Amino acid sequence: MRFRPARVAGSPQRLKHPDGFAITYRVAPLDMIGILIVSHGDLGRSLADCASHVLESDIPQLAWLGVAPGDDPDVIVCSAEALIGRLDGGDGVLVLSDICGATPCNVATRLVVPGRVACVAGANLPMLLRALTYRGEPLAAVADKALAGGREGVMRIAGKSHDAV
């Protein structure tokens, strides 16, 4: 299991994980929805890095948690809960996961707290960008926008004209 918050605003802090490794995070003072990506391997980190590239900025209150084969789901849940506690500036946290029914999504499902922590499966870059764009809205609205962004960002491209179908 690999985890780390990515570019969380505020002063640097360190958190010692029960397995002996430590993460560095920043306290989140901003009034916006925090976002945690729980995924297989480094997919969450890659999505966060791509979003930072597209938006040309560091992204506050965004973290990822990578799940490796053989990871204990109970340990992953504890790690995710610690990250959520640091990402939540008071407005809640949206958890994005990759594949519904797989271990990362099963972990994410255990994190849901109505009105405080919402979860959307099927994470992709359009979904993350939409969530980041609307994260000043209430949690339920951000979850709906993320879902719409993920769905609308998937399309078949026909021919050399690059027309979307």
Short mmCIF file of all heavy atoms in Angstrom, two decimals, residues 75-107:
data_model
loop_
_atom_site.label_atom_id
_atom_site.label_comp_id
_atom_site.label_asym_id
_atom_site.label_seq_id
_atom_site.Cartn_x
_atom_site.Cartn_y
_atom_site.Cartn_z
N VAL A 75 -6.36 -2.23 7.18
CA VAL A 75 -5.27 -1.27 7.32
C VAL A 75 -5.46 -0.12 6.34
O VAL A 75 -5.25 1.05 6.68
CB VAL A 75 -3.90 -1.96 7.10
CG1 VAL A 75 -2.76 -0.94 7.07
CG2 VAL A 75 -3.65 -3.00 8.19
N ILE A 76 -5.91 -0.45 5.13
CA ILE A 76 -6.16 0.59 4.13
C ILE A 76 -7.26 1.53 4.60
O ILE A 76 -7.15 2.75 4.46
CB ILE A 76 -6.53 -0.04 2.77
CG1 ILE A 76 -5.39 -0.90 2.26
CG2 ILE A 76 -6.88 1.04 1.75
CD1 ILE A 76 -5.79 -1.80 1.11
N VAL A 77 -8.32 0.98 5.18
CA VAL A 77 -9.41 1.82 5.70
C VAL A 77 -8.88 2.78 6.76
O VAL A 77 -9.21 3.97 6.76
CB VAL A 77 -10.57 0.96 6.25
CG1 VAL A 77 -11.55 1.81 7.05
CG2 VAL A 77 -11.30 0.25 5.12
N CYS A 78 -8.06 2.29 7.67
CA CYS A 78 -7.48 3.16 8.72
C CYS A 78 -6.65 4.28 8.10
O CYS A 78 -6.74 5.44 8.53
CB CYS A 78 -6.63 2.34 9.68
SG CYS A 78 -7.59 1.26 10.76
N SER A 79 -5.85 3.95 7.10
CA SER A 79 -5.03 4.96 6.42
C SER A 79 -5.92 5.98 5.72
O SER A 79 -5.66 7.18 5.78
CB SER A 79 -4.10 4.30 5.41
OG SER A 79 -3.23 3.40 6.04
N ALA A 80 -6.96 5.50 5.05
CA ALA A 80 -7.87 6.40 4.34
C ALA A 80 -8.61 7.31 5.31
O ALA A 80 -8.79 8.50 5.04
CB ALA A 80 -8.86 5.58 3.52
N GLU A 81 -9.02 6.77 6.45
CA GLU A 81 -9.70 7.60 7.45
C GLU A 81 -8.79 8.71 7.96
O GLU A 81 -9.23 9.84 8.18
CB GLU A 81 -10.21 6.74 8.60
CG GLU A 81 -11.41 5.89 8.20
CD GLU A 81 -11.81 4.88 9.26
OE1 GLU A 81 -10.98 4.53 10.15
OE2 GLU A 81 -12.96 4.41 9.21
N ALA A 82 -7.50 8.39 8.15
CA ALA A 82 -6.54 9.41 8.58
C ALA A 82 -6.40 10.50 7.52
O ALA A 82 -6.37 11.69 7.84
CB ALA A 82 -5.18 8.77 8.87
N LEU A 83 -6.33 10.10 6.26
CA LEU A 83 -6.22 11.09 5.17
C LEU A 83 -7.48 11.94 5.09
O LEU A 83 -7.41 13.16 4.91
CB LEU A 83 -5.96 10.39 3.84
CG LEU A 83 -4.57 9.81 3.66
CD1 LEU A 83 -4.50 8.98 2.39
CD2 LEU A 83 -3.52 10.91 3.64
N ILE A 84 -8.63 11.32 5.22
CA ILE A 84 -9.90 12.07 5.18
C ILE A 84 -9.93 13.11 6.29
O ILE A 84 -10.34 14.26 6.07
CB ILE A 84 -11.11 11.12 5.27
CG1 ILE A 84 -11.27 10.39 3.93
CG2 ILE A 84 -12.39 11.86 5.65
CD1 ILE A 84 -12.29 9.27 3.95
N GLY A 85 -9.46 12.74 7.48
CA GLY A 85 -9.42 13.69 8.59
C GLY A 85 -8.57 14.90 8.29
O GLY A 85 -8.85 16.01 8.75
N ARG A 86 -7.54 14.73 7.48
CA ARG A 86 -6.66 15.84 7.13
C ARG A 86 -7.15 16.62 5.91
O ARG A 86 -6.84 17.80 5.76
CB ARG A 86 -5.24 15.34 6.92
CG ARG A 86 -4.56 15.13 8.25
CD ARG A 86 -3.78 13.85 8.31
NE ARG A 86 -3.29 13.63 9.66
CZ ARG A 86 -3.95 12.92 10.58
NH1 ARG A 86 -5.12 12.41 10.32
NH2 ARG A 86 -3.44 12.75 11.78
N LEU A 87 -7.91 15.97 5.05
CA LEU A 87 -8.42 16.63 3.85
C LEU A 87 -9.70 17.43 4.11
O LEU A 87 -10.01 18.35 3.37
CB LEU A 87 -8.71 15.60 2.76
CG LEU A 87 -7.51 14.92 2.14
CD1 LEU A 87 -7.96 13.75 1.25
CD2 LEU A 87 -6.69 15.91 1.35
N ASP A 88 -10.43 17.05 5.15
CA ASP A 88 -11.72 17.68 5.41
C ASP A 88 -11.52 19.00 6.14
O ASP A 88 -11.19 19.03 7.31
CB ASP A 88 -12.61 16.76 6.23
CG ASP A 88 -14.03 17.26 6.36
OD1 ASP A 88 -14.33 18.37 5.86
OD2 ASP A 88 -14.86 16.54 6.95
N GLY A 89 -11.72 20.09 5.40
CA GLY A 89 -11.64 21.42 5.99
C GLY A 89 -12.96 21.85 6.58
O GLY A 89 -13.14 23.01 6.91
N GLY A 90 -13.92 20.94 6.70
CA GLY A 90 -15.23 21.24 7.27
C GLY A 90 -16.37 21.09 6.28
O GLY A 90 -17.54 21.10 6.67
N ASP A 91 -16.04 20.95 4.98
CA ASP A 91 -17.08 20.85 3.96
C ASP A 91 -17.28 19.43 3.44
O ASP A 91 -18.13 19.20 2.60
CB ASP A 91 -16.76 21.78 2.80
CG ASP A 91 -16.78 23.23 3.24
OD1 ASP A 91 -17.78 23.62 3.88
OD2 ASP A 91 -15.82 23.96 2.96
N GLY A 92 -16.47 18.49 3.91
CA GLY A 92 -16.61 17.10 3.49
C GLY A 92 -15.52 16.68 2.53
O GLY A 92 -14.67 17.48 2.12
N VAL A 93 -15.55 15.40 2.19
CA VAL A 93 -14.55 14.81 1.31
C VAL A 93 -15.24 13.92 0.29
O VAL A 93 -16.13 13.13 0.62
CB VAL A 93 -13.51 13.98 2.11
CG1 VAL A 93 -12.55 13.25 1.19
CG2 VAL A 93 -12.76 14.87 3.09
N LEU A 94 -14.81 14.06 -0.96
CA LEU A 94 -15.27 13.17 -2.04
C LEU A 94 -14.18 12.13 -2.26
O LEU A 94 -13.02 12.48 -2.48
CB LEU A 94 -15.51 13.96 -3.32
CG LEU A 94 -15.91 13.13 -4.54
CD1 LEU A 94 -17.24 12.41 -4.32
CD2 LEU A 94 -15.98 14.02 -5.79
N VAL A 95 -14.56 10.86 -2.20
CA VAL A 95 -13.63 9.77 -2.46
C VAL A 95 -13.92 9.25 -3.86
O VAL A 95 -15.05 8.88 -4.17
CB VAL A 95 -13.79 8.63 -1.42
CG1 VAL A 95 -12.82 7.50 -1.72
CG2 VAL A 95 -13.57 9.16 -0.01
N LEU A 96 -12.89 9.24 -4.69
CA LEU A 96 -12.99 8.67 -6.03
C LEU A 96 -12.27 7.34 -6.03
O LEU A 96 -11.17 7.23 -5.48
CB LEU A 96 -12.36 9.60 -7.06
CG LEU A 96 -12.90 11.01 -7.15
CD1 LEU A 96 -12.15 11.81 -8.22
CD2 LEU A 96 -14.39 11.00 -7.45
N SER A 97 -12.87 6.33 -6.65
CA SER A 97 -12.26 5.01 -6.72
C SER A 97 -12.31 4.53 -8.15
O SER A 97 -13.11 5.00 -8.95
CB SER A 97 -12.99 4.05 -5.80
OG SER A 97 -12.33 2.81 -5.78
N ASP A 98 -11.44 3.57 -8.47
CA ASP A 98 -11.33 3.17 -9.87
C ASP A 98 -12.40 2.18 -10.33
O ASP A 98 -13.22 2.50 -11.16
CB ASP A 98 -9.91 2.71 -10.22
CG ASP A 98 -9.34 1.66 -9.28
OD1 ASP A 98 -10.07 1.14 -8.41
OD2 ASP A 98 -8.14 1.36 -9.42
N ILE A 99 -12.43 0.96 -9.81
CA ILE A 99 -13.34 -0.06 -10.33
C ILE A 99 -14.33 -0.49 -9.26
O ILE A 99 -13.93 -0.99 -8.20
CB ILE A 99 -12.55 -1.30 -10.81
CG1 ILE A 99 -11.55 -0.91 -11.88
CG2 ILE A 99 -13.49 -2.38 -11.32
CD1 ILE A 99 -10.62 -2.03 -12.28
N CYS A 100 -15.61 -0.34 -9.54
CA CYS A 100 -16.65 -0.76 -8.61
C CYS A 100 -16.54 -2.28 -8.38
O CYS A 100 -16.43 -3.05 -9.33
CB CYS A 100 -18.03 -0.41 -9.16
SG CYS A 100 -19.34 -0.69 -7.97
N GLY A 101 -16.53 -2.68 -7.12
CA GLY A 101 -16.44 -4.09 -6.77
C GLY A 101 -15.04 -4.57 -6.44
O GLY A 101 -14.86 -5.62 -5.85
N ALA A 102 -14.01 -3.80 -6.82
CA ALA A 102 -12.63 -4.17 -6.52
C ALA A 102 -12.26 -3.65 -5.12
O ALA A 102 -12.97 -2.84 -4.53
CB ALA A 102 -11.69 -3.59 -7.58
N THR A 103 -11.13 -4.10 -4.61
CA THR A 103 -10.71 -3.74 -3.25
C THR A 103 -10.70 -2.23 -3.00
O THR A 103 -11.23 -1.78 -1.97
CB THR A 103 -9.34 -4.36 -2.92
OG1 THR A 103 -9.45 -5.78 -3.05
CG2 THR A 103 -8.89 -4.01 -1.52
N PRO A 104 -10.11 -1.40 -3.88
CA PRO A 104 -10.13 0.04 -3.58
C PRO A 104 -11.55 0.59 -3.42
O PRO A 104 -11.79 1.39 -2.51
CB PRO A 104 -9.43 0.66 -4.80
CG PRO A 104 -8.53 -0.42 -5.28
CD PRO A 104 -9.32 -1.69 -5.08
N CYS A 105 -12.47 0.16 -4.24
CA CYS A 105 -13.85 0.64 -4.13
C CYS A 105 -14.53 0.07 -2.89
O CYS A 105 -15.31 0.76 -2.23
CB CYS A 105 -14.64 0.31 -5.39
SG CYS A 105 -16.25 1.13 -5.42
N ASN A 106 -14.22 -1.18 -2.55
CA ASN A 106 -14.78 -1.76 -1.33
C ASN A 106 -14.30 -0.98 -0.10
O ASN A 106 -15.07 -0.76 0.84
CB ASN A 106 -14.41 -3.24 -1.22
CG ASN A 106 -15.08 -4.07 -2.29
OD1 ASN A 106 -16.08 -3.67 -2.88
ND2 ASN A 106 -14.51 -5.23 -2.58
N VAL A 107 -13.05 -0.57 -0.12
CA VAL A 107 -12.51 0.28 0.96
C VAL A 107 -13.25 1.62 0.96
O VAL A 107 -13.70 2.09 2.01
CB VAL A 107 -10.99 0.49 0.79
CG1 VAL A 107 -10.49 1.62 1.67
CG2 VAL A 107 -10.24 -0.81 1.08
#
